[in-house]
Amino acid sequence: MTTAPHPSRSLPAEPVGIRVTGLRVRHRRTVALDSVDLDFGPGVHGLLGPNGAGKTSLIRVLATVAEPSGGRVEILGHDAGDHRRRSGVRRRMGYLPQEFGYYPGFTVREFVAYVAWLKEMPAAVTPNAVERAVARVGLADRIDAKVRTLSGGMVRRVGIAQAIVNDPRVLLFDEPTAGLDPEQRVEFRELLRELGASSTVIVSTHLVEDVAAACTEVTLVEGGRVAYRGTPDSLAGLGDATDCVGDNPIERGYTAALRAHRARPRQAAALGEVAR
């Protein structure tokens, strides 16, 4: 991946960010998110949490591909629940799910151009936008290769290219570094920092070190609730002098924050017993 100077935008000024109020998501009898309140402004936001914590549910609702059970989501100042506004929001958004669909018979150029068409990008600017997006993920030399001929890590980079082709104001990545080798992960972190200079970027990941290296803010989700919010440095500070597991302070801080969040219901129950 390569980072190139970001061109000046010709889009009119508009709100940048996401606001979530009282968000609830239920999957049959399981509550995936329970009364979540969050704000995401410009910058790179890491979304952490164990499996089943609700991270993917949150990303899917923010991407407008899943409906919440309750609450309100505002994206770029618009109510995401307003179907009349939804297509306009999606044109200004980039999204990479954990497993994204693609046409293996397409070339990289054709696939990214197809996504640009879906996002209603002007035909006059699409060819250059496609080439730039592919170059930014380090696949310029494979732009005319069939997607089916690429390695898993390369396909993942095609997914990143399609997410950024429209120069989005909001970017949502769900496990974006899965399949990338260590060098590619470092390059992706550099790209994240560049994108976060002017956009709202949310990265859901299991890799705490990626958050420490690239993110300006961390949100830790556990059991469908927000367990912690703060900077990577403040999260690392929680692990400076603890007996929590982890190879470095931010991993120990992650464990400490989870343990503290899990202890709150027990503490509340204990206080209730004392009050009686």
Side-chain angles (χ1 to χ4, degrees):
M1 300 179 197
T2 58
T3 55
H6 200 286
S8 59
R9 300 182 188 273
S10 58
L11 293 174
E14 60 183 345
V16 175
I18 294 173
R19 173 168 293 170
V20 173
T21 308
L23 181 65
R24 288 180 56 85
V25 175
R26 178 183 290 274
H27 303 306
R28 296 183 180 178
R29 296 184 179 181
T30 302
V31 176
L33 293 170
D34 186 10
S35 302
V36 170
D37 298 321
L38 287 170
D39 287 307
F40 298 101
V44 184
H45 304 266
L47 187 60
L48 293 172
N51 289 333
K55 302 189 302 298
T56 293
S57 294
L58 176 58
I59 290 287
R60 283 176 53 80
V61 168
L62 298 183
T64 72
V65 299
E67 294 284 349
S69 305
R72 179 181 175 90
V73 178
E74 294 179 32
I75 301 174
L76 300 173
H78 300 297
D79 180 1
D82 186 344
H83 292 269
R84 296 168 299 176
R85 299 274 190 176
R86 189 166 291 180
S87 60
V89 169
R90 287 174 174 170
R91 286 196 296 269
R92 293 168 174 81
M93 181 185 294
Y95 173 45
L96 176 63
Q98 276 186 301
E99 297 182 6
F100 78 100
Y102 59 89
Y103 295 100
F106 279 24
T107 66
V108 174
R109 186 194 303 274
E110 289 168 343
F111 177 69
V112 179
Y114 172 67
V115 174
W117 175 77
L118 290 177
K119 295 180 178 181
E120 300 181 0
M121 290 182 63
V125 304
T126 293
N128 286 340
V130 169
E131 290 186 2
R132 181 171 181 269
V134 173
R136 292 175 86 184
V137 300
L139 288 177
D141 60 336
R142 304 301 300 273
I143 193 168
D144 290 313
K146 300 284 189 182
V147 178
R148 66 167 172 258
T149 69
L150 304 180
S151 67
M154 287 181 179
V155 171
R156 200 65 181 161
R157 284 188 278 163
V158 173
I160 298 169
Q162 63 82 28
I164 65 175
V165 66
N166 58 326
D167 199 17
R169 303 300 297 264
V170 168
L171 261 165
L172 306 169
F173 292 114
D174 197 355
E175 299 293 345
T177 57
L180 301 186
D181 64 35
E183 181 181 12
Q184 291 162 356
R185 281 174 53 203
V186 170
E187 292 170 347
F188 178 65
R189 293 171 191 167
E190 294 175 358
L191 178 60
L192 281 179
R193 287 190 286 267
E194 178 194 341
L195 294 166
S198 56
S199 300
T200 298
V201 184
I202 302 177
V203 184
S204 173
T205 181
H206 286 91
L207 300 174
V208 180
E209 59 269 31
D210 284 345
V211 168
C215 295
T216 53
E217 186 178 52
V218 181
T219 299
L220 176 56
V221 180
E222 158 73 350
R225 293 179 176 269
V226 176
Y228 172 87
R229 285 204 91 187
T231 65
D233 286 343
S234 64
L235 181 60
L238 297 179
D240 282 340
T242 72
D243 59 355
C244 293
V245 295
D247 295 329
N248 53 60
I250 196 164
E251 289 183 352
R252 292 192 292 274
Y254 168 85
T255 304
L258 280 180
R259 290 182 179 178
H261 176 72
R262 291 165 180 167
R264 287 173 198 143
R266 294 195 298 271
Q267 292 168 350
L271 290 172
E273 289 296 327
V274 170
R276 289 179 198 159

